Amino acid sequence: MPTDRMNASEPKERWAEVMLEHKHTREEIQKRLAQDTRGNYLRDWIYGGIDGTVTTFAIVAGVVGADLPGTVVLVLGLANLVADGFAMGAANYSGTKAELDDYKRLLAVERKHIALVPSGEREEIRQIFARKGFSGAELERIVDVMTADEDRWAKTMAVEEYGLSPTVKSPILAALNTSAAFVLCGLVPLVSYLMAHGLALCVVATGLVFFAIGALKSRWSLAGWARSGLETLLVGMSAAGLAFCIGFGLRAFVNVPI
């Protein structure tokens, strides 16, 4: 009878595999869990790409609004790409390195506690997994397994007690990805404006970049790629619109010399 129920559920499970993001066979699960989860720098690309596109497009729009010469766009745009691109990368390097240093510091703290007060650290493991619903002999077995290896013990405490992620990126690669995305995406509004000597092509090209970044960003949300793309497009264009209005207002009301 159990075999019949299992066979009856197979078509449903096959259909579910088609709808899911990855397969759940024993081999596929082993392969997926064995992969190194470090080194995903897509977030850094999106972070740098959005900022590079927004700031450079804002410079172009502000200069056009103030009716300044095209050479001003070139000078300010290139200065922004180099200086702000470096600053973005440096900031991301510092932030990522701070996370890495904090993770290493807490691992060292836990290893020290394990060496000095192992019974207390075992009790922490026991209470952590008791809160997850384990009890009795099953709970004690988990405690024995988790505390049998000091490295696993310390990493478990860092994750469960402090909420830190065991996945740590390279600060240098995070910085390089952010800076590269900033420069490459930021070049689009600058180059398109200089090629056409006008704002129309720049608006279209930059809008496409905003939409593409937003569509890619949907990977981290429940929103569809089209909605995410339109949201990023709206945010980017709003920033550029503000810059244009400021430039236009300065030219009209403050009498900025041309």
Side-chain angles (χ1 to χ4, degrees):
M1 190 67 180
T3 303
D4 294 337
R5 286 199 297 268
M6 290 175 61
N7 293 336
S9 66
E10 286 182 359
K12 182 179 179 181
E13 291 184 359
R14 292 197 194 101
W15 174 250
E17 291 290 349
V18 176
M19 302 297 294
L20 296 175
E21 289 75 11
H22 48 251
K23 296 181 180 179
H24 289 76
T25 63
R26 181 187 299 272
E27 294 76 14
E28 288 294 329
I29 292 173
Q30 289 177 344
K31 181 180 177 181
R32 189 167 62 252
L33 294 179
Q35 292 177 348
D36 187 357
T37 56
R38 295 174 298 177
N40 185 350
Y41 299 95
L42 192 55
R43 177 185 178 277
D44 302 284
W45 264 90
I46 293 175
Y47 178 55
I50 290 179
D51 197 86
T53 309
V54 167
T55 55
T56 308
F57 190 35
I59 287 174
V60 173
V63 170
V64 171
D67 197 22
L68 298 174
T71 53
V72 176
V73 174
L74 178 62
V75 172
L76 293 181
L78 288 178
N80 171 73
L81 286 176
V82 175
D84 207 6
F86 176 81
M88 287 286 294
N92 199 16
Y93 171 85
S94 299
T96 305
K97 189 174 185 301
E99 292 181 354
L100 178 60
D101 290 343
D102 190 36
Y103 182 70
K104 291 179 177 179
R105 178 185 67 84
L106 290 174
L107 278 181
V109 169
E110 288 303 321
R111 290 191 177 100
K112 181 179 70 173
H113 290 181
I114 290 171
L116 296 178
V117 281
S119 60
E121 290 296 311
R122 282 180 61 89
E123 178 60 25
E124 287 187 4
I125 289 288
R126 182 177 290 107
Q127 292 194 23
I128 285 171
F129 283 92
R131 291 170 64 89
K132 295 179 183 292
F134 298 98
S135 61
E138 185 181 39
L139 174 60
E140 294 306 316
R141 172 60 180 163
I142 292 174
V143 173
D144 291 340
V145 171
M146 297 304 300
T147 59
D149 181 86
E150 183 179 312
D151 186 58
R152 179 174 61 232
W153 190 352
K155 288 181 179 179
T156 301
M157 294 304 301
V159 173
E160 298 291 345
E161 186 174 4
Y162 301 104
L164 298 180
S165 172
T167 302
V168 181
K169 298 186 297 185
S170 164
I172 294 178
L173 290 179
L176 290 175
N177 275 274
T178 298
S179 294
F182 185 98
V183 173
L184 291 176
C185 294
L187 276 172
V188 173
L190 180 61
V191 172
S192 59
Y193 173 79
L194 294 175
M195 287 177 58
H197 300 287
L199 198 59
L201 178 61
C202 178
V203 170
V204 173
T206 305
L208 290 175
V209 174
F210 280 137
F211 186 85
I213 294 175
L216 186 62
K217 184 166 62 69
S218 66
R219 181 172 180 176
W220 283 276
S221 69
L222 296 176
W225 63 270
R227 177 182 173 182
S228 181
L230 290 173
E231 287 177 351
T232 305
L233 174 62
L234 178 62
V235 171
M237 289 303 182
S238 298
L242 289 173
F244 179 87
C245 292
I246 291 173
F248 183 84
L250 288 173
R251 180 171 64 90
F253 302 108
V254 188
N255 193 26
V256 174
I258 306 300

